[in-house]
Amino acid sequence: MMINGQSVSRETQERLELFVELFKKWNATTNLVAPSTLGELWSRHIADSAQIFQLSPKPQVWVDLGSGGGFPGIITAIFLAELQNGWVHLVESNNKKAGFLRVALKETGARGSVHPIRIEAAPSAIASCDAISARALAELDLLMDYIHPWSTTNENLRCYLNKGRDYEAEVQKARGRWDFDLLRHQSSVEASSVVLEISRLASKS
């Protein structure tokens, strides 16, 4: 199996297929993604999420903010299962979605845990991490408010944020309040989208 031009092991493929089955079952009663995008589950949601791990394919501790239906957090946790190392802390305040995430982790054997709390409370519950991910959550300036507590305790923290075609305006706005290094990775899924890799985040105030 190939995802974004990279081969995936049979074990990981089976875990992803199981996740998709669970996702479709739960989405019938819990709004995990818009019904109009359900037919693009593999090409849009799975592939878009997989490129986060593919940009940093090593065992490390992740925090996934606003995990929702598991994108990209559950997908990262599934890839980590093959490495038998690393962990994903999934932060999701919606109890129904958090319930789905727990079932998905258990059934697929993915490496992660669910924190049914608001994002603002997450730094107190999760002391440290190596990397942060977020997809379709908030604009960059607000995301940096969420991320900043972890960046003050880990100068090597890296963040991987899926963004759409208007990302440049978000970057310019964020530059008004924050200093950070930025790498733009062209999305493997959507020509007008990117994954922003943020490091060395610091407040200007």
Side-chain angles (χ1 to χ4, degrees), residues 35-52:
S36 60
T37 67
L38 195 58
E40 304 171 292
L41 202 53
W42 280 100
S43 61
R44 182 169 177 173
H45 298 294
I46 302 289
D48 192 35
S49 297
Q51 62 184 331
I52 299 299

Side-chain angles (χ1 to χ4, degrees), residues 13-176:
Q13 178 181 341
E14 289 173 352
R15 286 191 170 103
L16 290 171
E17 289 172 348
L18 177 54
F19 170 75
V20 167
E21 290 177 14
L22 290 167
F23 187 94
K24 289 179 177 178
K25 179 181 177 181
W26 276 70
N27 199 62
T29 56
T30 303
N31 187 27
L32 299 174
V33 295
S36 60
T37 67
L38 195 58
E40 304 171 292
L41 202 53
W42 280 100
S43 61
R44 182 169 177 173
H45 298 294
I46 302 289
D48 192 35
S49 297
Q51 62 184 331
I52 299 299
F53 176 80
Q54 290 169 335
L55 286 170
S56 190
K58 57 187 178 182
Q60 57 187 338
V61 176
W62 289 80
V63 170
D64 185 54
L65 299 176
S67 298
F71 305 118
I74 291 285
I75 307 305
T76 299
I78 285 174
F79 278 101
L80 288 175
E82 185 172 343
L83 300 181
Q84 299 182 0
N85 204 340
W87 199 258
V88 182
H89 294 281
L90 299 117
V91 180
E92 176 52 58
S93 61
N94 182 288
N95 285 328
K96 286 187 177 180
K97 292 178 180 178
F100 164 71
L101 295 171
R102 289 191 193 94
V103 171
L105 287 171
K106 182 179 179 180
E107 294 293 319
T108 63
R111 295 184 60 83
S113 52
V114 181
H115 302 263
I117 56 178
R118 294 181 60 81
I119 291 172
E120 295 87 344
S124 297
I126 307 162
S128 63
C129 62
D130 305 307
I132 293 175
S133 58
R135 179 176 182 260
L137 177 62
E139 68 172 48
L140 192 59
D141 187 47
L142 179 54
L143 284 174
M144 289 181 170
D145 276 321
Y146 295 152
I147 291 166
H148 186 241
W150 285 292
S151 70
T152 61
T153 59
N154 180 4
E155 63 181 14
N156 296 314
L157 179 72
R158 291 189 175 272
C159 308
Y160 299 86
L161 312 172
N162 301 73
K163 284 294 176 181
R165 60 172 58 89
D166 297 326
Y167 74 91
E168 281 291 2
E170 292 188 31
V171 170
Q172 292 308 312
K173 181 180 178 181
R175 293 280 189 201

